[in-house]
Amino acid sequence: MRRTIQTMFLFAFLFVFFNRVASQPPLVVNLSDAKKAIKEYYLSGQYSLELDTIIADAIRQLNSLQIGKNSAFVFDVDETALSNFEYEMKYDFGYIKSEWDKWVETEKAVPIRQVKAFYDTLVSRGIKIIFITGRSQSQYQATFNNLKKAGYGTFDTLICRGSNEANLTAREFKSLKRKELTEKGYKIIGSIGDQWSDLEGGYTILKVKIPNYMYKVE
Ligand SMILES: [Mg+2]
């Protein structure tokens, strides 16, 4: 009898539990709604406000570091130094390699204001600037020109991804380049990027992560 009551309780519990689970709405959002929310975030000024806070905090952290003659700061390019929002809007957040390559060649990406201001602060303090980008070596000249047009007038080095590095993940490629720079004598006091793969893997003191709600690179 006791066993029967226990079994009945178990079935009742399972019935309630599965009914509750089945009645939960799925944890996904409608793609059109998500895109609309992301556009709104960028266009309404929320992105700009979030950047203001992050960069102000980065400058505070910078003030606590010792700066030497080999001190360097590493910048990512896309969605860090340069904004490709125009491209993202044109293709509704879609990535089409041939169109992306054409966009890079236009050299029309604009600077992200707060990142450019951060760059100016670093330059004024005598810190060397190094760009490390996942863009390919064949895009070196267009990237170099675009950075100059966007106001990044002085920098030490621009490093693109070589054809022999195509199989590395972004994280592996970027940390390898920081390791090589460190071995050459640079003291990398910080890195700034819109992806965690720009920052993780060592060989940097500060890690300044800025937002990117449009895509992820690992
Ligand atoms: Mg980036």
Side-chain angles (χ1 to χ4, degrees):
M1 181 64 181
R2 199 169 156 195
R3 236 190 136 106
T4 313
I5 292 170
Q6 275 179 345
T7 310
M8 280 170 67
F9 268 112
L10 178 66
F11 274 109
F13 170 78
L14 289 173
F15 178 79
V16 172
F17 177 77
F18 283 113
N19 258 331
R20 273 191 80 95
V21 170
S23 63
Q24 294 288 324
L27 289 171
V28 289
V29 288
N30 181 281
L31 184 57
S32 299
D33 290 341
K35 285 180 179 179
K36 200 172 152 193
I38 294 165
K39 277 181 203 169
E40 177 67 16
Y41 163 81
Y42 280 94
L43 297 173
S44 68
Q46 289 177 73
Y47 172 64
S48 199
L49 283 174
E50 197 177 341
L51 271 175
D52 287 342
T53 309
I54 293 167
I55 297 300
D57 188 51
I59 290 175
R60 266 193 299 277
Q61 291 187 65
L62 185 70
N63 293 338
S64 68
L65 294 179
Q66 277 208 325
I67 312 293
K69 68 178 173 62
N70 289 327
S71 295
F73 213 101
V74 173
F75 280 64
D76 165 55
V77 173
D78 293 306
E79 270 55 69
T80 300
L82 301 176
S83 166
N84 300 295
F85 193 70
E86 184 182 329
Y87 168 88
E88 296 293 332
M89 288 300 93
K90 189 172 176 188
Y91 294 98
D92 198 29
F93 302 114
Y95 176 75
I96 305 159
K97 190 181 180 305
S98 56
E99 296 307 315
W100 168 256
D101 290 346
K102 279 185 214 160
W103 163 253
V104 167
E105 293 304 320
T106 65
E107 304 169 6
K108 273 172 62 184
V110 293
I112 293 177
R113 180 174 55 80
Q114 293 86 341
V115 177
K116 173 63 172 53
F118 185 56
Y119 158 92
D120 289 336
T121 303
L122 296 171
V123 171
S124 73
R125 295 187 189 185
I127 299 163
K128 294 186 166 84
I129 307 293
I130 294 162
F131 290 102
I132 303 179
T133 173
R135 290 186 180 191
S136 69
Q137 193 60 37
S138 62
Q139 293 169 322
Y140 177 92
Q141 199 56 51
T143 306
F144 182 95
N145 295 345
N146 199 156
L147 286 167
K148 292 273 180 185
K149 285 178 191 174
Y152 297 95
T154 24
F155 49 88
D156 217 70
T157 320
L158 163 63
I159 300 171
C160 291
R161 193 193 275 256
S163 52
N164 58 333
E165 294 158 336
N167 291 332
L168 299 177
T169 63
R171 185 185 309 253
E172 287 167 345
F173 166 67
K174 295 202 167 185
S175 56
L176 173 68
K177 294 295 128 181
R178 291 197 303 275
K179 179 174 185 271
E180 289 172 2
L181 289 162
T182 303
E183 287 164 356
K184 279 184 189 165
Y186 288 101
K187 187 180 177 218
I188 302 175
I189 59 165
S191 302
I192 181 168
D194 63 296
Q195 304 287 327
W196 284 111
S197 55
D198 296 326
L199 309 172
E200 292 180 342
Y203 305 99
T204 181
I205 300 172
L206 295 186
K207 294 175 188 170
V208 182
K209 169 71 172 68
I210 63 169
N212 180 350
Y213 294 95
M214 300 184 289
Y215 59 86
K216 204 177 243 188
V217 181
E218 290 171 334

